[in-house]
């Protein structure tokens, strides 16, 4: 059965995702080309993992959901009013009201079934163009001859936004092993980011990369950010890091040294003020929980 952790990592990940979609709406973007490297089940009903302090904020947000204090909370309340937790793709189809396409990569066998059962319902929506589930490690799909879908290839209007979403357990600063075990598949390495940048090099129009991370392990956040910048912000096809959304400590000043959400953009210079404001907006929202 698909599971979810139900901790503050979900808050920083999906609050940021929903706000990015909201900005795109306000900017008048007509179509969304959504590519999810770690799709997860549409709704996961079983909560897994240790019961730690990281769950307290998550539970407080869930308890107040009818108050609808943010785009994220409104979508969460609509999608899972009786418990469980939605996936990124489910948040996207709820928040995004214009034309969209989805490529959902998922390697877990037990998650593929719920995703494929969910897909016809999404496909029936009038604004859904080409929804597809790819059963493989996202690296295989990104490196395949098929590659990533361009907006015009999935019947989206001119000026559509491509949004690539990741959900790694951690961003590693070390070289990618030649063979990846299950745990390593849930990480993202500098070589992976180089492959992503190469795949997106020929995409016209605006492109966003949303890269949250749940752990920095033995690497401090500045080193992780520097490592990621070294790959994504170089070359003619470079991205710009527009926002670093950090998770505050609950009971002392400063920020946690593990969870964060990085936002990289290309071709969206006029969005800079709105995206740059996300860290302060998240901090205000989080502190009010």
């Amino acid at each position: 059965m698909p599971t979810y952790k139900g901790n503050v990592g979900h808050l920083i990940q999906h609050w940021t995702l929903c706000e990015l979609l909201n900005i795109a709406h306000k900017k008048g973007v007509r179509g969304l080309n959504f590519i999810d490297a770690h799709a997860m089940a549409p709704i996961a009903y079983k909560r897994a993992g240790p019961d730690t302090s990281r769950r307290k904020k998550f539970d407080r947000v869930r308890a107040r959901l009818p108050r609808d204090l943010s785009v994220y909370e409104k979508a969460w309340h609509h999608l899972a009013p009786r418990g469980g937790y939605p996936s990124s793709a489910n948040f996207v189809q709820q928040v995004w009201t214009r034309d969209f396409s989805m490529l959902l990569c998922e390697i877990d066998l037990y998650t593929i079934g719920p995703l494929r059962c969910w897909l016809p319902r999404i496909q029936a929506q009038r604004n859904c163009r080409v929804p597809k589930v790819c059963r493989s490690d996202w690296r295989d799909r990104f490196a395949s001859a098929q590659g990533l879908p361009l907006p015009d290839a999935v019947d989206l209007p001119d000026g559509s936004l491509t949004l690539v979403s990741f959900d790694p357990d951690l961003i590693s600063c070390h070289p990618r092993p030649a063979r990846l075990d299950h745990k390593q598949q849930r990480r993202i390495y500098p070589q992976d980011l180089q492959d992503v940048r190469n795949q997106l090099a020929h995409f016209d129009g605006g492109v966003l990369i949303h890269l949250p991370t749940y752990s920095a392990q033995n690497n401090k956040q500045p080193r992780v950010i520097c490592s990621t910048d070294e790959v994504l912000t170089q070359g003619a096809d470079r991205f710009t890091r527009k926002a670093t959304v950090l998770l505050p400590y609950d009971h002392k000043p400063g920020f946690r040294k593990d969870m964060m959400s990085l936002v990289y953009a290309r071709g969206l210079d006029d969005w800079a003020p709105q995206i740059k404001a996300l860290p302060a907006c998240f901090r205000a929202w989080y502190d009010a929980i």
Side-chain angles (χ1 to χ4, degrees):
M1 177 182 292
T3 62
Y4 71 103
K5 294 179 181 178
N7 60 28
V8 290
H10 289 310
L11 302 184
I12 193 170
Q13 176 188 2
H14 288 129
W15 182 94
T16 303
L17 175 64
C18 290
E19 288 300 317
L20 289 172
L21 296 171
N22 192 39
I23 292 171
H25 260 299
K26 292 178 178 179
K27 287 292 183 180
V29 173
R30 297 170 58 200
L32 177 69
N33 183 27
F34 182 66
I35 300 168
D36 197 345
H38 306 92
M40 309 301 285
I43 297 284
Y45 289 101
K46 183 178 179 181
R47 197 170 185 178
D51 188 8
T52 67
S53 60
R54 293 182 177 187
R55 291 187 170 191
K56 292 179 181 179
K57 285 272 191 179
F58 180 93
D59 289 339
R60 286 207 288 271
V61 174
R62 177 157 59 186
R64 76 177 195 177
L65 283 182
R67 292 172 63 185
D68 292 342
L69 297 179
S70 64
V71 175
Y72 165 54
E73 289 169 281
K74 292 176 183 178
W76 182 2
H77 180 58
H78 179 89
L79 293 168
R82 291 177 293 277
Y85 192 74
S87 66
S88 295
N90 215 349
F91 275 111
V92 167
Q93 67 83 28
Q94 176 61 30
V95 173
W96 190 258
T97 61
R98 298 169 188 156
D99 291 349
F100 71 91
S101 174
M102 287 186 171
L103 173 63
L104 309 178
C105 299
E106 179 55 59
I107 196 171
D108 181 66
L109 178 64
Y110 295 101
T111 304
I112 290 293
L115 271 174
R116 287 180 173 164
C117 290
W118 179 70
L119 213 61
R121 181 168 66 84
I122 301 306
Q123 193 168 15
Q125 296 181 198
R126 294 179 60 185
N127 59 329
C128 182
R129 294 294 170 257
V130 182
K132 186 171 183 178
V133 174
C134 179
R135 186 194 164 194
S136 71
D137 185 340
W138 66 269
R139 298 170 180 87
D140 297 333
R141 173 59 194 238
F142 279 45
S144 71
Q146 292 176 295
L148 303 180
L150 293 165
D152 58 357
V154 287
D155 197 29
L156 290 173
D158 292 342
S160 291
L161 171 71
T162 295
L163 171 56
V164 186
S165 174
F166 293 92
D167 185 18
D169 290 338
L170 66 89
I171 302 171
S172 175
C173 301
H174 305 292
R176 186 176 70 195
R179 296 177 63 88
L180 300 176
D181 59 27
H182 178 72
K183 186 176 182 180
Q184 291 165 335
Q185 286 175 333
R186 290 289 307 170
R187 300 176 179 181
I188 193 164
Y189 297 88
Q191 185 179 339
D192 293 329
L193 295 173
Q194 181 64 63
D195 293 342
V196 170
R197 202 188 83 188
N198 291 342
Q199 275 285 339
L200 295 172
H202 61 288
F203 274 58
D204 294 326
V207 183
L208 281 173
I209 297 175
H210 179 216
L211 186 57
T213 179
Y214 286 85
S215 172
Q217 223 173 53
N218 296 322
N219 299 311
K220 293 183 178 180
Q221 283 179 339
R223 185 186 175 196
V224 173
I225 295 169
C226 181
S227 174
T228 306
D229 283 354
E230 284 178 358
V231 178
L232 292 179
T233 65
Q234 306 301 315
D237 57 341
R238 63 183 176 271
F239 286 79
T240 302
R241 177 163 48 88
K242 297 293 188 182
T244 304
V245 186
L246 300 174
L247 191 71
Y249 280 108
D250 289 343
H251 303 297
K252 54 183 175 179
F255 296 92
R256 299 179 67 103
K257 294 180 172 59
D258 45 12
M259 299 176 183
M260 61 180 172
S261 229
L262 304 178
V263 179
Y264 290 86
R266 193 183 69 214
L268 299 168
D269 291 342
D270 61 325
W271 293 29
Q274 290 81 10
I275 300 179
K276 187 177 180 179
L278 290 179
C281 292
F282 176 77
R283 179 66 184 264
W285 175 81
Y286 188 87
D287 286 347
I289 297 171

